[in-house]
Amino acid sequence: MSKLYKEISSILHTARANAYKAVNFAMVSSYWSVGQVIVEDEQNGNERAEYGKAVLEGLSKKLTAEFGQGYDVRELRKIRQFYLEFKNRDLLRPELTWTHYRILLRVKDETARNWYMNEAANQTWSTR
């Protein structure tokens, strides 16, 4: 029975890990899309400073009311920055979490940021 249990346990652990990775990357991808929509909306002939602040505040309130915490103005700015810094969606690494990408946004040099992104994905660096 022990061998049977270990084999089934392994299958279930692998399935859970794969499900977690898929859900996580779906959220990272959705943040990229949200950032794209915010940037495109802001650049639709409107003044960025005042317009952007008012829009992000209103958007934050509505998103927080519907989806809960995690959509304050500061986070929406990070999501916008994420899109601007990682313009090519196809280069996003599914091994990385939103926390990884938030950390990578601190790296200003694009070459260095890409190196760290690939190293984090290849070495499965933890954000904890």
Side-chain angles (χ1 to χ4, degrees), residues 51-86:
Y51 168 80
K53 183 178 180 184
V55 167
L56 290 183
E57 286 175 0
L59 187 58
S60 172
K61 288 178 184 175
K62 288 181 178 182
L63 290 173
T64 300
E66 184 171 349
F67 297 101
Q69 293 181 341
Y71 298 98
D72 59 28
V73 173
R74 182 174 173 212
E75 193 67 10
L76 291 177
R77 285 189 183 119
K78 286 283 184 202
I79 290 170
R80 178 179 58 194
Q81 181 186 3
F82 176 55
Y83 168 75
L84 291 170
E85 298 294 335
F86 294 90

Side-chain angles (χ1 to χ4, degrees), residues 22-54:
V23 168
N24 180 68
F25 192 63
M27 290 307 300
V28 167
S29 294
S30 71
Y31 290 158
W32 187 92
S33 295
V34 169
Q36 179 185 30
V37 169
I38 291 171
V39 167
E40 288 175 356
D41 183 72
E42 281 184 339
Q43 293 176 351
N44 194 21
N46 296 297
E47 304 235 352
R48 288 180 78 109
E50 189 174 319
Y51 168 80
K53 183 178 180 184

Side-chain angles (χ1 to χ4, degrees), residues 4 12 25 43 62 94-95 105-107 112 118:
L4 176 64
L12 295 175
F25 192 63
Q43 293 176 351
K62 288 181 178 182
E95 303 89 348
L105 288 173
R106 298 178 195 159
V107 180
N118 290 323

